[in-house]
Amino acid sequence: METVVTFFNDIVWSAALVILLVVTGLYFSIRMRLFQVRYIVDMVRLMFKGGKSDDGISSFQAIAVSLAGRVGTGNIVGVSTAIFIGGPGAIFWMWLIAFLGAGSAFVESTLAQIYKQKEDGQYRGGPAYYIEKGIGGTFGKYYALLFAVVTVLACGLLLPGIQSNSISSSATNALPMIDGWMIGAFLVVILAVVIFGGIRSIANVATAVVPFMAIAYIIVAVIIVIMNIGDVPALIGLIFRSAFGLEQQFAGTVGAMIMIGVKRGLYSNEAGQGTGAHAAGAAEVSHPAKQGLVQSFSVYIDTLFVCTATALMILMTGMYNVSDGNDGLIIDNGVYQTNAAGEKDVSGTVTFTQAGIDSAFHGMDSFQEGFIGFGSYFIAFALLFFCYTTMLAYYYIAETNLVYMLRGRMPWLKIVLGLVLIGSAFYGTVSTADLAWQMGDLGVGLMAWINVIGILILQKPALKAFKDYERQYKLQKKGEIDEIVYTPERGEFKDHNFWVDEYPRRDEEGYSYPDRN
């Protein structure tokens, strides 16, 4: 099975996808005149504005759900893998794809708001909805269906195993007396309790857990940076020199460095992949661009904050190895994890981060496999919450696309989807990490291909909404208007008039948005 998955992975994750993602992010950044810099303060302000309703969740809840999907094993194990395959320079390419990816995140999230609709008593939005409504016709329907099918398979079956595998690996490192199947059984229970409660249940858990764990994680990283403050300039220099092949020992790995940096960057921040757009479409806001800006900032939180925190903890303490692209190592710091077969795994595993924190807080000069300290426990704890909330977000994304396909029919299939995801999570705790990551990468790559082409086709409404937001933003600054509200012309979006017919009536007594089912 692993051979088949690897074969298709190599096709999906060709250089063409890397180029497409970078160029698309660059294009949108230029078209909106580096909005990700100009509006960064507004992004933070809007994150805490916008109230929830009976039909939608708040902007903060939406970004919490998005971050639940974004902040997961990619921020810890994904960074370790990037360093192992590409060296320190891979971190630069993760930063770059996050900065440029903010443009793609804005467009897909704004489109999700523009084309959202009410289904099952709540707002639903995302690529399947805006592809069908925006492109229209037979092609639009089948292209949207393709995305929905791929997303249900990816988020419901392929991706959960990566998250649960990381939970299992970190937990067994910290608590050797625990077996993987025990972790799996525990996950089955805590997943089932929440995922069948719907978006509000998932949003409530994400809102409570994600900010707390992200802040705690970054605090630990800041402490380690302060403890090693004298090494910071040299470390930053190493990352930049390595990224462009100027560091001699990494000169031969630039291609692999860029590829893994972009791949792990996309897996972590999901910009352009379309997953964050689902939560964006569920938010209650007065203008689509508002949620687009909020979702753009979530990319920064994920990569520029959390991923950077992981990278610094690993690189500062020297607890990492770097592959030469074959079976050897360019850098061998003796860091490894003993896998289920009893073999030493020197690749980018969760051990890099656990050992890095242990080294900083316990004064370890070299890696000691049997040592279990603060880092081992802290990362096991962090991954449990990060990956748990990510799997909850995966369920919501998969469910949204399932609802899109079913159109009110066979609601019992949502229960089946939940059971499949829970089964995938259990399997991940007892499977090999390589297979889990290969399957996850395949799902992410397929979604990215479909969605990026979709937002390039549908860019006009999102860019027009951004210009409208900028116009009203200037008027608001002058005190000429109180609130920025989206008022498009009738027929601007073909047969979709949510913002023309339905949103303006939201405050009418007794009015309720019509359910599309």
Side-chain angles (χ1 to χ4, degrees), residues 310-327:
T310 300
L312 292 177
M313 288 189 289
I314 291 172
L315 295 174
M316 277 186 167
T317 56
M319 291 296 169
Y320 65 96
N321 309 311
V322 178
S323 171
D324 64 0
N326 296 306
D327 295 326

Side-chain angles (χ1 to χ4, degrees), residues 42-373:
D42 213 36
M43 291 177 185
V44 178
R45 180 182 64 84
L46 289 170
M47 184 167 58
F48 297 101
K49 294 192 69 176
K52 59 185 177 180
S53 68
D54 292 337
D55 306 298
I57 58 178
S58 69
S59 289
F60 186 74
Q61 286 180 315
I63 196 175
V65 174
S66 293
L67 284 171
R70 287 186 165 106
V71 180
T73 189
N75 300 82
I76 299 176
V77 183
V79 173
S80 299
T81 305
I83 291 173
F84 174 73
I85 295 175
I91 304 306
F92 169 83
W93 296 104
M94 292 184 72
W95 290 339
L96 181 65
I97 199 64
F99 180 77
L100 297 179
S104 302
F106 175 89
V107 172
E108 65 186 13
S109 298
T110 300
L111 288 171
Q113 270 291 320
I114 290 173
Y115 291 103
K116 73 181 180 183
Q117 61 189 48
K118 185 180 176 184
E119 288 188 325
D120 281 358
Q122 60 188 268
Y123 289 148
R124 296 278 189 179
Y129 291 89
Y130 58 67
I131 288 172
E132 180 187 342
K133 294 290 185 180
I135 296 177
T138 303
F139 175 73
K141 289 182 179 180
Y142 281 107
Y143 194 60
L145 182 62
L146 176 63
F147 179 87
V149 171
V150 167
T151 303
V152 170
L153 290 174
C155 293
L157 180 64
L158 301 179
L159 290 167
I162 296 178
Q163 307 298 328
S164 61
N165 185 272
S166 295
I167 293 175
S168 179
S169 295
S170 63
T172 52
N173 276 351
L175 302 167
M177 73 290 297
I178 294 180
D179 292 327
W181 69 267
M182 299 178 183
I183 303 297
F186 175 67
L187 287 178
V188 166
V189 174
I190 61 175
L191 282 171
V193 167
V194 177
I195 63 174
F196 296 117
I199 180 58
R200 289 179 180 83
S201 176
I202 294 171
N204 289 336
V205 173
T207 303
V209 173
V210 174
F212 166 74
M213 278 312 307
I215 291 171
Y217 191 76
I218 292 171
I219 288 174
V220 170
V222 168
I223 292 172
I224 292 176
V225 169
I226 293 174
M227 293 170 64
N228 298 273
I229 195 68
D231 298 331
V232 172
L235 182 60
I236 299 298
L238 174 64
I239 290 174
F240 278 90
R241 289 195 309 274
S242 301
F244 297 98
L246 301 179
E247 192 73 19
Q248 186 175 0
Q249 61 184 332
F250 302 117
T253 64
V254 173
M257 182 188 304
I258 296 173
M259 179 67 79
I260 193 63
V262 173
K263 184 186 290 189
R264 288 289 164 261
L266 173 65
Y267 181 84
S268 177
N269 64 54
E270 301 181 0
Q273 184 182 326
T275 49
H278 296 88
E284 179 74 74
V285 292
S286 64
H287 198 291
K290 290 184 175 182
Q291 199 59 35
L293 290 171
V294 170
Q295 296 303 122
S296 296
F297 190 71
S298 71
V299 175
Y300 289 168
I301 295 174
D302 173 89
T303 304
L304 301 185
F305 296 163
V306 183
C307 285
T308 299
T310 300
L312 292 177
M313 288 189 289
I314 291 172
L315 295 174
M316 277 186 167
T317 56
M319 291 296 169
Y320 65 96
N321 309 311
V322 178
S323 171
D324 64 0
N326 296 306
D327 295 326
L329 297 174
I330 297 174
I331 293 180
D332 184 0
N333 287 317
V335 185
Y336 65 90
Q337 177 179 348
T338 303
N339 61 27
E343 302 167 337
K344 290 184 178 180
D345 183 356
V346 299
S347 66
T349 66
V350 67
T351 304
F352 283 17
T353 315
Q354 288 180 311
I357 299 176
D358 281 341
S359 173
F361 282 94
H362 299 282
M364 293 167 48
D365 295 326
S366 60
F367 176 72
Q368 301 174 28
E369 185 190 21
F371 184 83
I372 300 175

Side-chain angles (χ1 to χ4, degrees), residues 187-202 205 388-396 399 414-423:
L187 287 178
V188 166
V189 174
I190 61 175
L191 282 171
V193 167
V194 177
I195 63 174
F196 296 117
I199 180 58
R200 289 179 180 83
S201 176
I202 294 171
V205 173
Y388 171 60
T389 53
T390 295
M391 286 187 283
L392 294 180
Y394 284 162
Y395 173 77
Y396 172 67
E399 185 206 60
K414 290 193 289 185
I415 298 176
V416 174
L417 173 64
L419 295 175
V420 169
L421 184 143
I422 290 171

